[in-house]
Amino acid sequence: MDLAPILILDLIKLGDLLDNKQVDPQMFCNLMNFYCTYMMQNMLVPGHIEKWVSLTNVNQFSLKKLPIPFFKYIAAEMGANYIDYIQC
């Protein structure tokens, strides 16, 4: 049984926020940094639970609306801050 915590990103909700200009890449990076730090400090147990799972829901999300520059910025930021934790 895998007890890894799961982070779920729903692109439909993110798309709505992007359309209404309620979120920018830096704000989203701050949120992701908070979640990752929280998981590392409170949900990972060395020797038992040493990873987390990220799921992205793209159901009913138009690929034309996919904010590629937004995700490139986030990937660069997360890669700089969590280089030992990111595996593709």
Side-chain angles (χ1 to χ4, degrees):
M1 178 186 223
D2 190 3
L3 300 174
I6 300 173
L7 174 65
I8 300 174
L9 176 63
D10 189 349
L11 287 187
I12 294 293
K13 294 177 184 175
L14 180 60
D16 293 341
L17 293 173
L18 288 170
D19 289 343
N20 296 326
K21 308 242 188 269
Q22 294 177 324
V23 67
D24 62 13
Q26 184 59 47
M27 182 186 299
F28 190 75
C29 278
N30 291 342
L31 175 66
M32 294 302 293
N33 283 329
F34 169 78
Y35 278 132
C36 291
T37 301
Y38 182 84
M39 279 193 270
M40 288 175 8
Q41 292 177 350
N42 299 295
M43 297 181 171
L44 302 182
V45 180
H48 298 283
I49 304 171
E50 297 179 328
K51 65 177 180 172
W52 68 77
V53 176
S54 297
L55 297 176
T56 304
N57 181 10
V58 294
N59 188 26
Q60 299 178 353
F61 186 81
S62 171
L63 293 179
K64 293 179 183 178
K65 291 178 63 178
L66 191 63
I68 299 297
F70 185 85
F71 287 117
K72 284 183 180 179
Y73 178 85
I74 293 165
E77 179 81 14
M78 299 302 286
N81 292 331
Y82 301 98
I83 191 73
D84 293 335
Y85 298 95
I86 296 177
Q87 297 179 3
C88 297

